[in-house]
Amino acid sequence: MKVSVPLAKSYRLLNHGPVTLVSAADEQEQNVMAAAWAMALDFEPAKVAVVLDKQTHTRQLIEKTGEFVLNIPSKQLAKLTLQVGSTSGKEINKWTSFDIQKEAETDSRIPLLKDCAAWLHCRVISEPHNQQTYDLFIGEVIAAWADDLAFENGHWDFKDESLKTLHYVAGGHFFVTGEAIEVSSGLDSPD
């Protein structure tokens, strides 16, 4: 089941460095692409940064609508992540070609991919110089959700191993999120 995540805690959905699937849509079409370079940028308002190459069809949809979704794929979506990252939405309809399933219940007009560990719906904060020069898009998180078997009480807690997130290396090689540990700094309080 998908649960709402407070926007002030949404940075934690990206903070451990997973690969993302970026989805976008306009009135006529939808697309999705893989993006390994996405990161949390700020707490309140919650912001993210993502690199989107000029040649991608998803970027064109984002530039048209000003919105996108960062889908945080689980390890069960490793093959799909490689497929959508290795093909162009200009050439094929990825949704039908790869039989991509969408989350049924959502407040987003942009599709959320089913079986992800989390989702962040973002509105572009226009920075034309960064976008054109560095392919860097900044988005304000306007809604965030996570699977309740992966994220609970504001923290990742992978109760279901199949929901562990993917970390891309190269050439179809991924890692999945590992074992969690907790340590104390031994300090009274940070400055």
Side-chain angles (χ1 to χ4, degrees):
M1 175 172 55
K2 185 171 78 239
V3 296
S4 183
V5 174
L7 297 183
K9 301 286 186 207
S10 66
Y11 73 93
R12 292 181 179 171
L13 300 175
L14 287 172
N15 210 34
H16 67 300
V19 68
T20 61
L21 296 176
V22 182
S23 57
D26 66 12
E27 296 76 28
Q28 286 83 37
E29 58 186 323
Q30 304 170 348
N31 199 44
V32 60
M33 64 176 276
W37 296 334
M39 64 178 268
L41 191 60
D42 205 350
F43 303 109
E44 290 188 52
K47 295 183 195 85
V48 299
V50 62
V51 174
L52 303 166
D53 187 88
K54 289 172 187 62
Q55 303 305 313
T56 65
H57 188 53
T58 301
R59 175 174 169 161
Q60 292 171 357
L61 292 171
I62 292 168
E63 288 176 327
K64 189 174 179 183
T65 64
E67 293 184 45
F68 60 94
V69 169
L70 293 180
N71 301 267
I72 313 299
S74 63
K75 73 178 186 178
Q76 59 189 328
L77 295 179
K79 181 178 179 181
L80 177 66
T81 299
L82 193 59
Q83 289 172 323
V84 302
S86 302
T87 56
S88 171
K90 293 177 183 176
E91 298 166 7
I92 64 168
N93 180 323
K94 296 180 189 183
W95 299 92
T96 56
S97 295
F98 303 124
D99 192 28
I100 301 173
Q101 303 299 305
K102 300 173 189 174
E103 274 292 308
E105 297 176 26
T106 179
D107 297 335
S108 174
R109 69 173 188 78
I110 300 171
L112 281 71
L113 280 74
K114 190 174 181 171
D115 298 324
C116 283
W119 307 262
L120 296 98
H121 184 169
C122 304
R123 180 178 26 242
V124 173
I125 297 172
S126 183
E127 292 286 345
H129 174 75
N130 287 340
Q131 291 164 203
Q132 292 305 311
T133 305
Y134 307 111
D135 296 332
L136 180 69
F137 282 72
I138 298 171
E140 179 179 348
V141 181
I142 57 176
W145 309 272
D147 190 298
D148 65 347
L149 294 176
F151 195 84
E152 185 176 58
N153 297 321
H155 297 279
W156 286 110
D157 183 11
F158 295 100
K159 292 180 181 80
D160 181 340
E161 288 283 320
S162 71
L163 290 170
K164 285 192 171 187
T165 56
L166 294 169
H167 304 265
Y168 188 65
V169 179
H173 185 79
F174 293 89
F175 289 104
V176 294
T177 300
E179 177 185 353
I181 62 169
E182 284 196 36
V183 297
S184 172
S185 68
L187 302 174
D188 290 334
S189 65
D191 289 332

